[in-house]
Amino acid sequence: MKRWFAAFLLSASAAFSQDVVDATYTAAIREFTTEPRFMTELVDHLPASDTVPSPLEFNGYIAGANGHLTYAEDVYRYMRALEAASPRVRVFSIGRSEEGREMILVAISDEATISNLDRYREITRRLSDPRGVSEEEARRLIAEGKPIYYATGAMHSPETASPEMLMELAFRLTVGESPMIRSIRENVIVLLTPVIEVDGRNRMVDLWRYRKANPDLPTPPLIYWGHHVAHDNNRDNISLALNLSRNVMGAYFDFHPQVFHDLHESVPFLYVSTGTGPYNPALDPLVIDEWHRMAYNEVNELTRRGLPGVWTHGFYDGWAPSYMFWIGLGHNSIGRFYETFGHRWPTTENRVVRSASERTWYRPNPPLPQVRWSLRNNVNYQQSALLLAFADMAEKRERFLENFWMLSKRSVAKPDNEGPAAYVFTADQKRLGQLHDLLGVFGAHGVEVHQVTEAFTIDPGWPPPRPRDDEDDEEKPAKADDESRLPDEVGSGEMETADASDTVADDAGEETAEERPAEQRTMTFPAGSFVIRMDQPYSRLADALLDVQYVRSDERAYDDTGWPLGWLKNVESARVANREVLSVPMTRWQPAASSAHRGIFALENTADTALTKLRFRNPAARMSVVKSEFEAEGTKFPAGTILYDGDIGGLHLRSSPLTRLPSVESVPLRTPRIALMHTWIRTQDEGWYRLALESMGVPYDYISTQDVARTPDLRRYYDVILFPPAKISSSTGDIVNGLPPGPPLPWKKSALTPNLGVPDETDDMRPGLGLAGVQNLARFVEGGGLLITALDTSTWAIDYGLVRWVETVRAQKLKAPGSIVLAAVTDEESPIAAGYDETVPLFFGGSPIFRVGVRHESPAAPRQTGRGGKDDPDVPQGRVFVPLPEREKPEPGEEGFQYPEDMPSNWEAYMPRPEDRPRVIVSFAKKADELLMSGMLEGGEELAGKPAVILSPRGRGNILLMAVNPMWRMNTDGSYALVMNAIMNWDSLR
């Protein structure tokens, strides 16, 4: 039976005068809150209920209590207990994680709303697409509907407070009877996903159990959050490669909420998101204005209540569309997040805030410089702010629905206003597999894709069109036929294009696009080409993912700065501003069902991921690369053509059927034995490699540096070892040395830690590769194996002598945070570059910079003081002038180098044999001003002409070095073939 007493009733705000207070729970709130100023009247007590269990009654502890963290399954059991006890709660299962754990969605509102939930979902669904709804009907829907607020917790596993808080919040919203809570229930539908990263949440609770059971031992680090990636699970909103991203996206489309809000924990004490800028240019200003209005409201209300350290601005930029809350921003909802003061463990600790406690213009109410902080303090801040956000939505119910409708209308009107009108992908381009992967990504985002039924020629039009006159309103775009579609691959022909950037009209009288010959300003697309129209509700998301980005080098970049998917996937697309493209006959496209297609084929080698899928899907099938031009059945095929005997059904490939395999010299494409090696320090980036391999059906063994250290004969088991970026912050020596000495750090499944030991296990995380491991890898390569490295693992291979005649160069001015840069194939004969064009877009993260060769001359010193200008020679007097010789090219170690006659003979001992010389396969563009394709670049002269991909022979094997990350966040399909070509040709790279 509940007990309460008058002291708590008197202390509660008048806003909660209708609540009966649970005295026991309320006393615990105050016990675990370190100071009264760290809570508000909104959360300093809990209402009581005789029928609905509180978190204390169900779990045995309150939200934020010292000593307790809750497993995801137990959070779900509590939410389902609320559902069983109250008609105001519904729980939905929205999918499962990679390891099979459930994800849920909780809906809370008043009883009448929950009983008619399908009707309210239908209202927001209809408001999301204005093309079939009149203004009059929209007004009726807005008056009838209820806005939806979707909040998610525990995306980042070390951020532990939100699942605890959301249980208490769900209870408060369900049973509270204060005017504020009743207003929220009556006017708003609250959606909660209490745990986003369920695999990582359970591992984090395991580690807390280990910590409690072993107070005198260090706790193992949370090396794995999700099955594949850790913190980057909040960078997956472009590719939607993770289950959690797809599950939450599905929940979004089920409800079309007006606000999507992620709960994070890092900076003190509460940051309400707005950001420093730059803001993504594809965002509607109404979205940006609204997220500012909401932030200022919550900062103001909490500051009025005396909470220190509540602020906005100064954190995050608002640029990249890769974050999960872009599920909202990309679909005309408001995307938001909080950062509260992270408190990983459920303990009370003395914390030092340091610089974040300094007052500045965006933080006039800064956090305290020192604080005694608890998990409950964190719960109080999160919950108080969310309640104020819900109350704001309740007060402005129609405003949120009207804004949602207005944003959708403005998105559909994009071709007539800011443009462009569409993006077009030619149907007969080289990399059809990557094109269809790209179209599949847009389909997952809800972006409509169409396919034209006949070839068309169009002036792309630039700048964007002016608004049309009223008399033009009858010129509506042809209605897309959603009932039928063309086959996936139809039509033929080549895209004819002029330099679209030259079509800008000049008021000063220069030649305009219309005055130029048609062949210089038009594009021709074959039948079957794909069109992403901008007169659809999610046009802004498509525009954000396909257009080119530019970021000034003096801006503060929070993450990647450039990401046009056409370039990242190395497919051809055209940005068309001319709205006449919308009148081209087209039908709604849907992916075709896979079907068997057996036979003998000549396949065009185009560095397409579809080729890798084909090779590993049918490992026993014959598949080889022809070494020279040949003719078969009346058709000539170039060198590099792939002959294949088997099934190509379901894969989009440029192919020619043959009646028999031609007799021609070829090299087989292998399916070697592959291992992917990870450290026990950080596994973030290698997880994206695992996802990339799995997406192409490539089998691999997952091994650690410790496994390599204790396996002298690696060649007995593997042909290829892939060592993805380790991204270790200090030095590459940590790969060898491991973690600092100390007591063992086990990552193993046990009765105490049932969720550890996945996806790999060890008795002690501390040991690294060791010098024995370096020697084992050297022996592996010398015995004929291929070691593939990228970024810091390439630097490690150089630092530890596995690679000779390559060195890293320290950048002085280079600044390129996550940009797309232009590179060129410099060794066209290498199988690694097979299928690539002369130039290729590559994603570059700012380092490393490589240099190949034996002798590197220092930059020329400035001329001596004397006559003439700075570029004139210094001429000694009284003798005939003899100029300085130009530097010999190429350098030692490079093909074609010849020793100068004056070189001492003992230099020969230091020269690499021809078969040992590193080969530059791909290099960055030679001119600095040609490098940047999208994003930010400063100091490009330090990168220009430097190697991007290097093959370094050693013994009978090879080491592949990459200055770029070819498998980055499942977005860079266009560079996957640099890895896969090397893997499938591992024994013929010389």
Side-chain angles (χ1 to χ4, degrees):
M1 184 177 181
K2 305 269 184 204
R3 294 191 307 164
W4 58 89
F5 46 88
F8 287 130
L9 288 174
L10 292 173
S11 68
S13 166
F16 293 89
S17 58
Q18 297 183 33
D19 277 332
V20 176
V21 174
D22 183 331
T24 304
Y25 201 113
T26 300
I29 291 174
R30 301 188 177 199
E31 175 188 355
F32 295 119
T33 300
T34 59
E35 295 184 43
R37 58 177 160 181
F38 296 142
M39 58 185 171
T40 68
E41 86 286 357
L42 307 176
V43 298
D44 65 356
H45 69 289
L46 195 74
S49 172
D50 292 326
T51 58
V52 180
S54 72
L56 176 61
E57 291 173 317
F58 191 86
N59 294 321
Y61 50 88
I62 73 163
N66 280 358
H68 298 282
L69 291 178
T70 310
Y71 283 112
E73 293 84 357
D74 292 330
V75 174
Y76 300 166
R77 287 195 311 110
Y78 177 72
M79 294 300 190
R80 289 190 164 108
L82 292 183
E83 179 185 38
S86 172
R88 297 170 177 173
V89 181
R90 286 274 301 277
V91 177
F92 302 86
S93 183
I94 62 173
R96 293 193 173 271
S97 72
E98 283 79 1
E99 296 177 12
R101 296 181 179 88
E102 185 185 24
M103 292 178 63
I104 69 167
L105 177 78
V106 183
I108 305 171
S109 193
D110 63 20
E111 183 175 352
T113 301
I114 292 297
S115 65
N116 290 284
L117 195 56
D118 288 344
R119 172 56 183 166
Y120 292 107
R121 286 166 29 166
E122 174 65 11
I123 289 172
T124 54
R125 184 194 67 79
R126 297 200 64 197
L127 291 175
S128 72
D129 188 349
R131 293 171 297 181
V133 180
S134 67
E135 285 283 343
E136 182 180 0
E137 185 178 8
R139 293 296 165 195
R140 290 197 300 269
L141 293 171
I142 290 169
E144 179 188 355
K146 294 190 178 182
I148 302 174
Y149 201 116
Y150 188 4
T152 71
M155 182 187 303
H156 289 157
S157 303
E159 301 168 10
T160 54
S162 53
E164 314 296 332
M165 182 277 293
L166 289 171
M167 286 189 287
E168 182 177 297
L169 176 65
F171 175 84
R172 191 183 300 276
L173 291 173
T174 301
V175 307
E177 293 298 336
S178 71
M180 179 184 185
I181 297 297
R182 292 179 63 182
S183 175
I184 293 171
R185 272 203 310 265
E186 292 167 4
N187 293 284
V188 175
I189 299 170
V190 174
L191 303 180
L192 307 174
T193 292
V195 183
I196 291 287
E197 180 53 87
V198 290
D199 299 333
R201 172 67 182 188
N202 282 5
R203 287 194 259 276
M204 190 66 197
V205 179
D206 275 6
L207 291 176
W208 170 243
R209 285 159 55 93
Y210 181 93
R211 188 178 183 87
K212 285 198 299 182
N214 300 278
D216 298 326
L217 294 176
T219 305
L222 185 64
I223 184 72
Y224 295 100
W225 300 12
H227 189 79
H228 291 102
V229 300
H231 190 272
D232 261 10
N233 61 11
N234 196 27
R235 304 294 188 276
D236 184 46
N237 189 62
I238 295 178
S239 63
L240 300 177
L242 302 175
N243 286 9
L244 60 83
S245 302
R246 293 191 294 269
N247 293 343
V248 175
M249 181 70 82
Y252 178 92
F253 284 136
D254 278 345
F255 285 88
H256 296 91
Q258 285 59 65
V259 175
F260 185 92
H261 188 145
D262 292 326
L263 298 171
H264 290 285
E265 301 167 36
S266 62
V267 296
F269 290 144
L270 170 62
Y271 167 77
V272 183
S273 62
T274 52
T276 64
Y279 296 140
N280 191 291
L283 291 174
D284 193 306
L286 288 177
V287 169
I288 298 171
D289 291 343
E290 190 67 6
W291 86 40
H292 276 88
R293 185 198 67 78
M294 296 174 73
Y296 282 127
N297 174 66
E298 289 148 39
V299 170
N300 179 268
E301 288 294 328
L302 292 172
T303 302
R304 289 177 64 240
R305 287 165 167 80
L307 265 66
V310 182
W311 51 287
T312 188
H313 297 300
F315 181 84
Y316 165 74
D317 54 12
W319 180 250
S322 51
Y323 306 98
M324 179 170 278
F325 65 82
W326 262 80
I327 287 177
L329 291 176
H331 299 90
N332 300 313
S333 300
I334 308 300
R336 316 185 69 208
F337 69 92
Y338 289 160
E339 297 282 355
T340 48
F341 201 21
H343 207 65
R344 178 174 305 215
W345 308 119
T347 57
T348 298
E349 309 287 348
N350 293 322
R351 306 281 296 275
V352 177
V353 173
R354 302 190 190 282
S355 61
S357 68
E358 296 175 358
R359 183 175 55 84
T360 187
W361 70 267
Y362 57 81
R363 197 166 49 211
N365 172 30
L368 309 177
Q370 298 182 53
V371 65
R372 186 158 179 78
W373 196 254
S374 66
L375 194 70
R376 180 66 208 190
N377 290 1
N378 199 344
V379 166
N380 291 340
Y381 271 71
Q382 285 184 356
Q383 190 172 178
S384 296
L386 267 184
L387 285 169
L388 290 169
F390 297 162
D392 177 67
M393 178 176 272
E395 180 185 343
K396 300 175 177 63
R397 181 182 63 81
E398 291 195 9
R399 174 193 176 102
F400 279 90
L401 292 171
E402 185 173 10
N403 276 352
F404 185 59
W405 161 255
M406 186 179 300
L407 288 167
S408 300
K409 285 199 304 178
R410 286 160 67 102
S411 295
V412 172
K414 188 174 176 60
D416 293 325
N417 295 321
E418 68 273 24
Y423 289 86
V424 184
F425 300 83
T426 184
D428 58 348
Q429 60 181 283
K430 292 182 177 180
R431 299 169 187 95
L432 292 174
Q434 283 161 206
L435 171 60
H436 281 259
D437 288 345
L438 172 61
L439 299 178
V441 168
F442 281 112
H445 280 283
V447 174
E448 298 167 1
V449 180
H450 289 80
Q451 197 169 25
V452 301
T453 57
E454 58 189 46
F456 69 98
T457 299
I458 194 168
D459 179 344
W462 188 260
R466 297 182 179 87
R468 294 178 297 157
D469 296 331
D470 292 341
E471 60 266 28
D472 294 332
D473 286 347
E474 67 272 11
E475 298 179 14
K476 302 296 183 184
K479 180 176 176 59
D481 179 9
D482 292 341
E483 302 302 322
S484 62
R485 63 172 192 84
L486 290 180
D488 292 342
E489 299 159 20
V490 299
S492 62
E494 297 182 355
M495 181 174 70
E496 301 170 2
T497 179
D499 185 357
S501 64
D502 289 339
T503 62
V504 180
D506 191 335
D507 293 337
E510 293 186 8
E511 183 180 46
T512 65
E514 288 70 18
E515 295 168 338
R516 296 183 180 184
E519 63 271 13
Q520 294 184 14
R521 58 181 171 85
T522 60
M523 295 180 175
T524 297
F525 298 94
S529 293
F530 299 94
V531 179
I532 296 182
R533 304 167 63 105
M534 293 293 103
D535 58 346
Q536 61 171 299
Y538 306 145
S539 63
R540 299 194 190 284
L541 176 64
D543 197 30
L545 298 182
L546 289 171
D547 209 351
V548 180
Q549 297 80 38
Y550 168 73
V551 181
R552 285 201 333 254
S553 60
D554 61 342
E555 297 274 16
R556 183 171 68 176
Y558 192 76
D559 203 80
D560 293 343
T561 56
W563 53 81
L565 287 187
W567 284 339
L568 287 177
K569 296 183 182 295
N570 203 12
V571 299
E572 296 178 18
S573 65
R575 185 184 193 273
V576 180
N578 185 348
R579 75 176 324 279
E580 291 179 8
V581 69
L582 303 178
S583 298
V584 174
M586 62 183 73
T587 60
R588 183 77 176 271
W589 173 79
Q590 295 292 339
S594 176
S595 60
H597 192 182
R598 292 186 174 276
I600 299 171
F601 301 92
L603 307 175
E604 186 174 341
N605 192 351
T606 60
D608 195 330
T609 53
L611 292 170
T612 298
K613 294 175 183 178
L614 182 65
R615 171 67 290 176
F616 286 92
R617 187 178 72 180
N618 302 301
R622 178 173 176 178
M623 191 173 187
S624 59
V625 182
V626 175
K627 298 183 67 174
S628 59
E629 182 182 73
F630 70 99
E631 183 173 341
E633 301 178 23
T635 302
K636 288 187 176 181
F637 296 94
T641 297
I642 296 175
L643 298 177
Y644 178 76
D645 184 358
D647 179 15
I648 63 169
L651 295 173
H652 303 279
L653 295 158
R654 293 169 65 97
S655 60
S656 299
L658 302 174
T659 57
R660 61 184 179 85
L661 282 170
S663 178
V664 60
E665 186 180 5
S666 63
V667 178
L669 282 179
R670 308 287 193 185
T671 55
R673 301 167 300 168
I674 305 167
L676 189 147
M677 180 171 66
H678 70 89
T679 72
W680 281 105
I681 300 177
R682 195 172 187 270
T683 60
Q684 172 90 303
D685 287 47
E686 59 85 9
W688 291 118
Y689 280 66
R690 286 190 278 131
L691 266 172
L693 295 177
E694 291 162 16
S695 74
M696 294 182 285
V698 179
Y700 64 91
D701 285 351
Y702 189 50
I703 63 176
S704 74
T705 50
Q706 295 177 0
D707 296 323
V708 169
R710 55 178 170 255
T711 310
D713 189 11
L714 291 165
R715 275 296 286 121
R716 179 180 177 185
Y717 305 101
Y718 304 115
D719 304 307
V720 178
I721 295 178
L722 181 56
F723 193 9
K727 288 288 185 71
I728 295 172
S729 58
S730 52
S731 74
T732 59
D734 288 345
I735 294 173
V736 175
N737 296 325
L739 294 169
L745 298 171
W747 186 266
K748 297 194 73 171
K749 186 185 297 290
S750 69
L752 186 64
T753 57
N755 300 287
L756 301 189
V758 178
D760 200 357
E761 67 175 6
T762 181
D763 292 324
D764 185 8
M765 298 166 65
R766 292 187 186 275
L769 180 64
L771 294 178
V774 175
Q775 292 175 338
N776 291 344
L777 286 170
R779 191 178 299 112
F780 165 79
V781 174
E782 289 166 356
L786 171 64
L787 174 63
I788 300 177
T789 63
L791 305 185
D792 61 341
T793 58
S794 294
T795 302
W796 157 82
I798 297 168
D799 291 346
Y800 278 82
L802 288 170
V803 169
R804 305 288 297 272
W805 305 294
V806 180
E807 64 181 7
T808 55
V809 179
R810 182 180 296 275
Q812 302 298 321
K813 297 181 291 183
L814 181 64
K815 187 178 182 182
S819 301
I820 301 179
V821 298
L822 183 66
V825 174
T826 52
D827 188 344
E828 297 178 356
E829 300 300 316
S830 172
I832 296 169
Y836 280 101
D837 302 324
E838 292 181 0
T839 61
V840 57
L842 291 178
F843 178 85
F844 180 67
S847 66
I849 304 174
F850 293 138
R851 185 164 56 194
V852 174
V854 175
R855 184 178 65 185
H856 302 291
E857 296 182 2
S858 301
R863 64 154 291 186
Q864 295 297 315
T865 300
R867 64 158 301 281
K870 69 181 182 67
D871 296 323
D872 289 324
D874 183 50
V875 181
Q877 300 299 299
R879 72 186 197 201
V880 176
F881 173 63
V882 178
L884 287 171
E886 293 186 4
R887 185 178 72 87
E888 295 85 3
K889 294 183 179 180
E891 293 187 353
E894 297 177 343
E895 188 174 353
F897 174 79
Q898 297 193 6
Y899 301 118
E901 293 180 0
D902 63 346
M903 177 174 283
S905 60
N906 63 351
W907 271 60
E908 294 177 356
Y910 302 94
M911 294 299 104
R913 298 176 300 172
E915 63 268 26
D916 293 333
R917 294 171 181 167
R919 294 169 59 183
V920 177
I921 310 300
V922 180
S923 62
F924 296 109
K926 292 183 178 180
K927 296 181 180 179
D929 58 1
E930 294 177 348
L931 275 168
L932 181 63
M933 298 181 71
S934 183
M936 177 195 294
L937 179 65
E938 180 179 330
E941 63 275 9
E942 295 184 337
L943 185 66
K946 297 296 193 299
V949 180
I950 305 167
L951 183 69
S952 179
R954 182 182 180 112
R956 293 188 290 114
N958 299 277
I959 300 173
L960 189 65
L961 309 173
M962 297 194 182
V964 297
N965 192 344
M967 292 179 167
W968 178 236
R969 293 176 176 169
M970 291 293 286
N971 297 327
T972 58
D973 307 36
S975 56
Y976 283 7
L978 294 172
V979 176
M980 298 315 304
N981 281 346
I983 287 176
M984 291 186 289
N985 293 277
W986 67 275
D987 57 350
S988 56
L989 295 177
R990 301 290 182 91

